[in-house]
Amino acid sequence: MSGTPLTQDAFDQLFLQAHTHNAWQNKPVADELLHHLYGSLRMAPTSMNSNPARIVFVKSREAKEKLIPALMEGNRAKTMAAPVTAIIGHDTRFYDMLPKLFPPIPNARDMFAGNAALADITAFRNGTLQGAYLILAARALGLDCGPMSGFDNVAVDQLFFAGTSIKSNFICSIGYGDPKGIYPRNPRLDFAEACSIA
Amino acid sequence: MSGTPLTQDAFDQLFLQAHTHNAWQNKPVADELLHHLYGSLRMAPTSMNSNPARIVFVKSREAKEKLIPALMEGNRAKTMAAPVTAIIGHDTRFYDMLPKLFPPIPNARDMFAGNAALADITAFRNGTLQGAYLILAARALGLDCGPMSGFDNVAVDQLFFAGTSIKSNFICSIGYGDPKGIYPRNPRLDFAEACSIA
């Protein structure tokens, strides 16, 4: 596959014409599509194949009503209206899965098990990478996304991850967006403001 | 665009058949392609459009020789051989750009300027999202990636970001991969191991 770019339409769908969505069509997202979504995003790279992301797809009214009070006021109504809101978290004890996930280094677990700072930053960095993969895999599937970090992480951890080593990172509504809810595009940084070639 | 998935070929190129690369064809990556890469990745979402990622595309022999000693032994030779190695960092003072980047909230800068913990986690989370966008945008452009976090972040910060508020996050070689350098695929977590639907 080396060397062949995707079509302009694909770039538009993934990056150039895609927008964060704030309003949603009344069209459900099948569980099967969420399985496809995870089946795609999980193949993208993480450090030592650590795969620390743990995702709750909040879909039922009951689970939505549990989540909503932990969100910033401005994020509540639109989250209630979304077909699915994914809570992207990461397991700070991801290393317990390394014997399965990273057979090339049989003692990989030990690098992290005794070093909480390394485990935490590895979980956060790679769980965040996987959250970005989720956004782009959803767009690739024809879904729209509304990612948010305006919520009370501690509250969400208590509500959804109590008694586990999983910490919430950000949340992302998923569905078929209503273009009427799109905000105007904000400017981006120019290449020279953000990048250099050395 | 809502509702239409990309082709199977596109899913293969982005996610399913793509691999982390460790060996590189002797084929350069034009600066123009790096501009296209940034022009795509910068459109994907960040919190409050904060766009904290700052990227050095290390391309010259001189810059490569500066970078190499900061890498783990096992990452040195393959990084030297790569046409480009991107250092993905994030500006912990990203908020100074918010008056340009996020006009809807004119005082957005103040939310971060007096709260270093919030600024740091926002820079790291969103800079990491942008690093993942870089990987998938590179694959969309027909490039291959070799992301790595096995290096001395403090040393790289001193070498490439001295006197700035930019911190290195991870690095990623970019080029046209030589399939002979691909390692066997490691297992991924099943849906039920990493996800739930609530």
Side-chain angles (χ1 to χ4, degrees):
Chain A
M1 71 194 64
S2 270
T4 309
L6 300 185
T7 62
Q8 185 64 43
D9 281 352
F11 273 92
D12 286 346
Q13 180 165 333
L14 292 168
F15 296 107
L16 304 180
Q17 298 298 324
H19 274 266
T20 289
H21 280 258
N22 300 289
W24 303 94
Q25 299 174 44
N26 184 18
K27 183 176 169 185
V29 174
D31 290 358
E32 191 192 352
L33 208 48
L34 300 177
H35 282 261
H36 279 298
L37 176 63
Y38 181 69
S40 297
L41 78 91
R42 72 176 185 163
M43 301 312 294
T46 54
S47 177
M48 296 182 79
N49 197 39
S50 50
N51 288 268
R54 301 293 182 267
I55 303 165
V56 181
F57 293 105
V58 177
K59 218 177 151 177
S60 68
R61 166 166 281 272
E62 295 70 18
K64 279 285 191 67
E65 285 175 348
K66 194 164 81 166
L67 173 63
I68 298 295
L71 307 188
M72 280 174 50
E73 181 73 37
N75 287 334
R76 290 180 187 171
K78 64 182 179 182
T79 301
M80 199 68 214
V84 183
T85 300
I87 304 171
I88 293 106
H90 46 263
D91 192 342
T92 58
R93 288 183 60 100
F94 68 91
Y95 47 79
D96 287 333
M97 302 298 281
L98 285 179
K100 166 181 173 160
L101 292 171
F102 205 61
I105 302 186
N107 64 345
R109 181 187 180 283
D110 305 341
M111 293 175 50
F112 299 100
N115 188 340
L118 179 64
D120 285 353
I121 197 171
T122 301
F124 185 46
R125 176 185 293 114
N126 290 280
T128 304
L129 292 175
Q130 290 186 283
Y133 303 150
L134 177 144
I135 292 170
L136 293 181
R139 288 177 172 181
L141 284 167
L143 293 160
D144 296 303
C145 291
M148 294 166 275
S149 46
F151 66 94
D152 180 340
N153 288 73
V154 173
V156 167
D157 293 351
Q158 287 168 345
L159 289 164
F160 288 90
F161 302 126
T164 77
S165 44
I166 303 170
K167 302 292 177 195
S168 61
N169 185 352
F170 69 98
I171 62 175
C172 183
S173 288
I174 298 171
Y176 299 94
D178 178 347
K180 287 198 291 288
I182 292 174
Y183 302 145
R185 178 77 83 196
N186 288 309
R188 297 300 197 269
L189 297 179
D190 297 327
F191 186 91
E193 291 175 299
C195 304
S196 61
I197 299 176
Chain B
M1 71 194 65
S2 271
T4 309
L6 299 184
T7 62
Q8 185 63 43
D9 281 352
F11 273 92
D12 286 347
Q13 181 165 333
L14 292 168
F15 295 108
L16 304 179
Q17 298 298 325
H19 273 267
T20 289
H21 280 259
N22 300 290
W24 303 95
Q25 298 175 44
N26 186 17
K27 184 177 167 184
V29 174
D31 289 359
E32 191 192 351
L33 208 48
L34 300 177
H35 282 261
H36 279 298
L37 176 62
Y38 181 68
S40 297
L41 78 91
R42 71 176 185 160
M43 300 313 292
T46 54
S47 177
M48 297 182 79
N49 196 39
S50 50
N51 288 267
R54 302 291 182 268
I55 304 164
V56 180
F57 293 104
V58 177
K59 216 177 153 178
S60 69
R61 166 166 280 275
E62 294 72 16
K64 277 286 190 65
E65 286 175 348
K66 194 163 82 165
L67 174 63
I68 298 295
L71 307 188
M72 279 173 52
E73 182 73 36
N75 288 333
R76 289 180 188 170
K78 64 183 178 181
T79 301
M80 199 67 213
V84 183
T85 299
I87 305 171
I88 293 106
H90 46 263
D91 192 344
T92 58
R93 288 184 59 101
F94 68 90
Y95 48 78
D96 287 333
M97 301 299 279
L98 285 180
K100 166 181 173 162
L101 291 171
F102 204 60
I105 301 185
N107 64 346
R109 182 186 180 284
D110 305 340
M111 294 174 50
F112 299 99
N115 189 339
L118 179 64
D120 285 353
I121 197 171
T122 301
F124 185 47
R125 177 186 293 113
N126 289 281
T128 304
L129 292 175
Q130 291 186 282
Y133 302 149
L134 177 145
I135 292 170
L136 293 180
R139 288 176 171 182
L141 284 166
L143 293 160
D144 295 305
C145 290
M148 293 167 275
S149 46
F151 66 94
D152 180 340
N153 288 74
V154 173
V156 168
D157 293 350
Q158 286 167 347
L159 290 164
F160 289 90
F161 301 126
T164 76
S165 44
I166 303 171
K167 302 291 177 197
S168 60
N169 184 353
F170 68 98
I171 63 176
C172 183
S173 287
I174 299 172
Y176 300 93
D178 179 346
K180 288 198 289 288
I182 292 175
Y183 301 145
R185 178 78 83 196
N186 288 309
R188 299 299 197 269
L189 298 179
D190 297 327
F191 186 91
E193 291 175 299
C195 303
S196 61
I197 298 177

